[in-house]
Amino acid sequence: MRVLGIETSCDETGVAVYDSEEGLLSHELYSQVKLHADYGGVVPELASRDHVRKIIPLIEKALDDANSSKTDIDGIAYTQGPGLVGALLVGSSVARALAFAWDKPTIGVHHMEGHLLAPMLEDPCPEFPFVALLVSGGHSMLVDVKGIGEYEVLGESIDDAAGEAFDKTAKLLGLDYPGGPHLAKLADEGEGGHYAFPRPMTDRPGLDFSFSGLKTFAANTIRASDGQRQTYANIAYAFQEAVVDTLMIKCRRALKQTGRKRLVISGGVSANKHLRAAMKKMLNDMGGQAFYPALNLCTDNGAMIAYAGCQRMAAGQTSSLSEVAKPRWSLDSLTPL
């Protein structure tokens, strides 16, 4: 089965073609970083308009790179939610229009299921069951995964997600948007032992996350500092260390609670090299294994949507052309395969 995947949930337009026998055939991605940089964050209306401009050329390029035409495509997968409603409507409208014009089935994919399954595109890929840590600008979530669609949310962010805290703290440090990667780079220049940041919600039971207090602590520390680059680097180091430690503590709890030995870490923050190194060491010490998507598939992309859609279509699931975008959509409400 060959599936065209379309992702437009936020500020990246992603299109890919995935074949169940040949694997990922093409992957096109356009990032709106420069468009939103002047505003210090995503402007939903501008994001939607840019998706409209970019999506058709990207679809044509993805099909061309995959040496495929509409007759070779067996189905079209698109991100149905969650995300920015205007952005979601662009991808879903184009996907359903193509499905109608080409007489192909379509499937609406949950954005977080796409991230969760992205490591399945790697070799080796994780076997079920496993625990998944989904960390991005909009989500911090721990999920017990027994199979595709068999998800139990163990914990999630009750305020700022980890990626959001990275971006907001980076902005306080005067770094460019998107701030997470810039903060991580600045942290490489920092040294430990200068600041003691809290590890939020690790002194109590449970697997939920809260990073708003950590962001406030960082803001107060920055305001009280001398504003020198080395000082800011030390603050960035301490902040990153606190986030990574918090995620590690929660993941260790989740693995012990479920008895799992495999941990999938996905989403934009999973590209952080310090997080990857720390998680790898923790899993090695526990006799387990950590799995990640490729670096170019950590952020939003069409490949993960094409893969997730292909799995559901292969199991006989499709969506009607009257389906609507779902800006809010619970992961554990999905139908198991």
Side-chain angles (χ1 to χ4, degrees), residues 94-112:
V94 170
R96 288 178 295 163
L98 289 177
F100 179 80
W102 295 352
D103 192 25
K104 305 290 183 180
T106 187
I107 184 79
V109 174
H110 193 292
H111 179 73
M112 299 311 294

Side-chain angles (χ1 to χ4, degrees), residues 2 75 97 129 135 139 237 253 262:
R2 187 167 294 189
V135 276
H139 301 273
Y237 181 97
R253 286 183 187 176
R262 290 179 287 271

Side-chain angles (χ1 to χ4, degrees), residues 125-138:
C125 66
E127 296 180 2
F128 298 110
F130 55 78
V131 168
L133 171 67
L134 305 177
V135 276
S136 65

Side-chain angles (χ1 to χ4, degrees), residues 156-167:
E156 55 191 329
S157 51
I158 61 176
D159 42 52
D160 288 1
E164 185 179 5
F166 261 103
D167 288 342

Side-chain angles (χ1 to χ4, degrees), residues 12-291:
E12 283 156 326
T13 314
V15 181
V17 176
Y18 176 80
D19 189 283
S20 57
E21 294 184 2
E22 300 179 44
L24 186 61
L25 300 181
S26 66
H27 169 231
E28 296 297 323
L29 184 67
Y30 175 78
S31 173
Q32 300 176 0
V33 165
K34 292 182 180 179
L35 175 67
H36 301 289
D38 290 342
Y39 304 94
V42 177
V43 181
E45 177 63 21
L46 294 181
S48 302
R49 290 173 182 267
D50 215 38
H51 285 310
V52 172
R53 284 189 289 265
K54 301 297 182 182
I55 191 167
I56 297 301
L58 285 177
I59 289 173
E60 293 173 340
K61 183 67 163 57
L63 289 172
D64 186 57
D65 288 350
N67 195 26
S68 300
S69 67
K70 63 182 181 181
T71 57
D72 301 309
I73 299 299
D74 298 305
I76 303 171
Y78 64 92
T79 302
Q80 189 174 4
L84 301 176
V85 65
L88 291 169
L89 284 170
V90 176
S92 64
S93 297
V94 170
R96 288 178 295 163
L98 289 177
F100 179 80
W102 295 352
D103 192 25
K104 305 290 183 180
T106 187
I107 184 79
V109 174
H110 193 292
H111 179 73
M112 299 311 294
E113 180 171 64
H115 276 303
L116 188 153
L117 296 177
M120 295 296 185
L121 292 164
E122 305 306 312
D123 185 20
C125 66
E127 296 180 2
F128 298 110
F130 55 78
V131 168
L133 171 67
L134 305 177
V135 276
S136 65
H139 301 273
S140 295
M141 184 183 298
L142 276 165
V143 186
D144 185 30
V145 181
K146 298 177 182 177
I148 296 178
E150 297 182 74
Y151 309 132
E152 179 187 356
V153 177
L154 303 173
E156 55 191 329
S157 51
I158 61 176
D159 42 52
D160 288 1
E164 185 179 5
F166 261 103
D167 288 342
K168 289 181 177 179
T169 301
K171 188 174 182 178
L172 292 169
L173 289 167
L175 302 175
D176 292 336
Y177 172 85
H182 292 293
L183 187 149
K185 187 175 181 180
L186 180 61
D188 288 341
E189 302 176 25
E191 301 172 346
H194 295 277
Y195 297 97
F197 276 54
R199 275 56 174 167
M201 293 185 69
T202 58
D203 58 350
R204 67 190 76 176
L207 296 171
D208 286 335
F209 300 95
S210 171
F211 291 103
S212 63
L214 183 62
K215 178 197 65 183
T216 301
F217 188 94
N220 292 335
T221 304
I222 292 166
R223 278 194 292 267
S225 74
D226 58 15
Q228 298 298 310
R229 181 174 180 84
Q230 187 58 52
T231 301
Y232 275 12
N234 294 339
I235 292 172
Y237 181 97
F239 173 83
Q240 177 176 254
E241 192 176 54
V243 173
V244 169
D245 282 354
T246 300
L247 295 174
M248 284 180 56
I249 291 167
K250 296 288 185 173
C251 286
R252 188 183 297 113
R253 286 183 187 176
L255 290 166
K256 290 182 177 179
Q257 178 177 311
T258 59
R260 310 292 186 215
K261 291 294 184 181
R262 290 179 287 271
L263 177 68
V264 160
I265 304 133
S266 195
V269 180
S270 70
N272 183 286
K273 65 180 183 180
H274 184 59
L275 175 65
R276 289 191 173 216
M279 288 293 190
K280 181 179 180 179
K281 182 180 185 305
M282 183 188 78
L283 267 295
N284 285 341
D285 292 344
M286 296 179 68
Q289 192 173 2
F291 296 87

